[in-house]
């Protein structure tokens, strides 16, 4: 079903905080801000563990992270409502 033009601006400005539930093909993809069946805490823990392990082996990466962090902050801080 195509969206009517009068609704397009509403959808083009929506962010994740506007979505309560997303159903695609009868399957719930997002509900109450969560992805059913995905353990985000476990994923975050695993990613951070792998990252820390890799950082310990790469001094160049460690030295670049501070500059990268500052560059990302400068990019996003002027518009805190971006994402």
């Amino acid at each position: 079903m195509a969206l009517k033009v009068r609704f397009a601006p509403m959808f083009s400005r929506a962010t994740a905080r506007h979505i309560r539930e997303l159903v695609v093909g009868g399957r719930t993809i997002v509900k109450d801000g969560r992805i059913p069946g995905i353990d985000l805490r476990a994923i975050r823990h695993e990613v951070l563990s792998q990252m820390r392990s890799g950082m310990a082996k790469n001094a160049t990466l460690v030295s670049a992270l501070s500059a990268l962090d500052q560059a990302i902050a400068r990019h996003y801080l002027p518009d805190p409502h971006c994402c």
Side-chain angles (χ1 to χ4, degrees):
M1 178 172 93
L3 292 176
K4 293 183 180 180
V5 175
R6 67 179 184 211
F7 294 117
M10 177 178 73
F11 288 106
S12 66
R13 291 180 178 87
T15 65
R17 70 176 175 244
H18 295 104
I19 298 172
R20 289 190 190 136
E21 185 171 16
L22 174 63
V23 178
V24 177
R27 181 174 166 226
T28 299
I29 305 299
V30 176
K31 184 162 178 95
D32 299 324
R34 303 204 183 279
I35 303 169
I38 302 292
D39 186 348
L40 291 178
R41 283 186 185 181
I43 291 170
R44 183 177 188 275
H45 176 71
E46 179 63 24
V47 168
L48 288 173
S49 294
Q50 289 184 23
M51 185 181 79
R52 289 179 180 130
S53 174
M55 286 174 57
K57 300 171 190 172
N58 191 335
T60 304
L61 174 62
V62 172
S63 66
L65 284 178
S66 178
L68 177 61
D69 184 49
Q70 291 172 17
I72 291 171
R74 281 192 308 273
H75 177 78
Y76 286 106
L77 286 179
D79 187 8
H81 303 291
C82 166
C83 306

